[in-house]
Each structure stands twice: as structure tokens, then as C-alpha cells.
Amino acid sequence: QVQLVESGGGLVQAGGSLRLSCAASGRTFSSYAMGWFRQAPGKEREFVAGIRWSGGVTYYADSVKGRFTISRDNAKNTVYLQMNSLKPEDTAVYYCAADPYGSGGPEPTRYDYWGQGTQVTVSS
């Protein structure tokens, strides 16, 4: 069982930056791929970024490529999402998720564990 707790969300102006953190419990964290998803009001949850267990392979949605960076620190059981050049369309609740199958890809059904989410609001 893995429990995930996100933090770091908030209100920021367009062009600003935020860093989200996701702290995981459980000794198997380092073997899981991790992902970040987001859901805006009235929209479906969408993949943002993923990272495999070693951190050597990452994936990004086209909409965030070049602006967001996913990373992980297995010693701290934590995964991060650095978000730069934020846009109003990045406004959403951001969720981290754990994929025990190791892919870290965009398919949400591969992720067995989810956090409660953290709100990110970008004002224009």
C-alpha cells in the first residue's frame, strides 16, 4: 500500500513558477513509476508528466513540454513537478499517482495509487 500527499499548490500570476511535491509512504516507492495528472473544472483528468523508478526516463504531455520538469528523490520518497512559465490554462487540481507496473506513461489506469490533489491557480 502506498499513500501519497501532494503539496506546493497555490495562486500564481501567469509567467510565474511553482514546485509541487508528492511525499509517498511505503518501502516500495523506489520501485514504482510516478506520474502527475491534472483536472480542470468540467474537463477530464489528463496526464502531465511521468517518471520511471530510476529517474532516467521521463514523459511529458505536449502542452507542458519545455516548461515543466518531473524529478524524484528516492531517498526522500518524494517526486517533484517544477512548473515554469505558467499559463492560465494550467489551472487545475494536480494529482500525483504511483504506477507499480513501472511504465510511468500517460495511461491513468496503470496507476494504482492516487493522492488527494493540490490546487494550482494561474491568474492572467
Side-chain angles (χ1 to χ4, degrees):
Q1 190 77 0
V2 175
Q3 291 186 325
L4 306 172
V5 179
E6 303 97 336
S7 62
L11 173 63
V12 64
Q13 288 188 332
S17 298
L18 283 174
R19 188 175 84 153
L20 305 183
S21 299
C22 174
S25 65
R27 285 177 279 181
T28 54
F29 170 82
S30 61
S31 67
Y32 287 5
M34 300 295 294
W36 285 96
F37 291 76
R38 67 187 181 186
Q39 188 167 19
K43 295 188 176 181
E44 293 188 353
R45 189 171 297 190
E46 65 173 356
F47 173 78
V48 175
I51 187 168
R52 291 199 176 177
W53 71 272
S54 66
V57 178
T58 56
Y59 306 91
Y60 295 94
D62 287 343
S63 59
V64 306
K65 207 170 289 184
R67 300 188 298 123
F68 290 12
T69 303
I70 188 171
S71 61
R72 67 189 295 162
D73 185 337
N74 288 339
K76 295 183 178 180
N77 278 13
T78 303
V79 63
Y80 304 97
L81 185 68
Q82 177 67 44
M83 305 186 295
N84 298 328
S85 302
L86 283 161
K87 304 175 181 180
E89 51 264 44
D90 295 317
T91 295
V93 177
Y94 283 71
Y95 300 89
C96 74
D99 168 11
Y101 309 102
S103 73
E107 180 51 57
T109 59
R110 298 188 65 86
Y111 292 81
D112 283 359
Y113 306 101
W114 293 81
Q116 293 299 306
T118 185
Q119 176 71 47
V120 172
T121 303
V122 184
S123 63
S124 57

